[in-house]
Amino acid sequence: DDPETLNAFAAPGGYIFVYTGLIKFLEEKDDFVGVMGHEMAHADLRHSTQQLTQQYGVATLLSLLLGQDQELLTNVLGSLLGLKFSRDDESQADQFSVIYLCETEYAANGAASFFQKLIDQGSANPPQFLSTHPNPDNRVEAINMEAEERMCDTAFDSDAQAWMAFQNSLP
Ligand SMILES: [Zn+2]
């Protein structure tokens, strides 16, 4: 619950967290679905787990599960919020968001419109999403191409009522 933070992240174990700020920033349901697809891919492909394992080592993470080390827990949670994924991880997560969404009723390229919005917003006030995710340059094009090659539906839901009601229900 932080209306000022434009971010989302995937934690080991398949948990995905989206800040209320990001939900309020996304104008359409399909934008949100695109971000969800992207974060699901990070979780599904175990990008977060790999990053944390690289940073702390398996032994340390196991001791976290078994012990009561509050300081270690705080450190690992802090790292989770600041995880920086490689360009390859990001491209893969973008690609898989299209693959997942292609089978659903939602627009397959919702992640592209999200990145387009970040680009349109300009660099004067870079959203936090970009501090943990590399620059959106070329990603919009790659996502749209993936959707086109797979012949996915890219039409956004024209009925914005339910999405707006959800946004307005947030604190
Ligand atoms: Zn990402």
Side-chain angles (χ1 to χ4, degrees):
D1 176 14
D2 180 1
E4 301 303 318
T5 301
L6 298 181
N7 211 353
F9 62 94
Y15 298 98
I16 294 168
F17 297 84
V18 183
Y19 282 89
T20 50
L22 183 61
I23 294 170
K24 286 172 189 279
F25 172 75
L26 300 172
E27 282 152 28
E28 301 190 58
K29 181 169 60 183
D30 292 276
D31 297 326
F32 173 69
V33 167
V35 171
M36 285 296 287
H38 178 94
E39 294 302 328
M40 280 179 194
H42 278 316
D44 196 17
L45 302 166
R46 303 192 181 278
H47 292 159
S48 311
T49 309
Q50 283 162 12
Q51 291 282 324
L52 282 183
T53 307
Q54 227 168 46
Q55 200 167 333
Y56 289 96
V58 173
T60 307
L61 290 176
L62 277 177
S63 75
L64 180 68
L65 292 176
L66 301 171
Q68 298 285 326
D69 191 337
Q70 281 297 327
E71 197 187 328
L72 179 62
L73 180 64
T74 308
N75 285 341
V76 172
L77 287 178
S79 304
L80 203 54
L81 287 167
L83 273 190
K84 287 199 198 310
F85 295 115
S86 68
R87 277 180 181 277
D88 282 353
D89 281 359
E90 288 304 320
S91 301
Q92 209 183 15
D94 286 348
Q95 185 195 13
F96 273 74
S97 78
V98 174
I99 294 172
Y100 298 151
L101 293 174
C102 198
E103 293 175 27
T104 71
E105 65 191 277
Y106 304 107
N109 62 341
S113 72
F114 165 61
F115 287 123
Q116 189 61 54
K117 266 170 203 152
L118 294 185
I119 294 166
D120 293 346
Q121 213 190 30
S123 55
N125 182 24
Q128 200 169 356
F129 195 85
L130 294 185
S131 67
T132 51
H133 292 68
N135 202 288
D137 290 350
N138 304 321
R139 295 175 72 176
V140 172
E141 202 181 340
I143 292 166
N144 285 331
M145 266 178 57
E146 187 74 34
E148 199 181 311
E149 279 169 16
R150 293 176 181 274
M151 295 189 282
C152 307
D153 186 0
T154 55
F156 273 43
D157 187 352
S158 54
D159 178 13
Q161 293 288 336
W163 175 246
M164 280 171 64
F166 173 52
Q167 285 180 315
N168 292 332
S169 74
L170 298 172

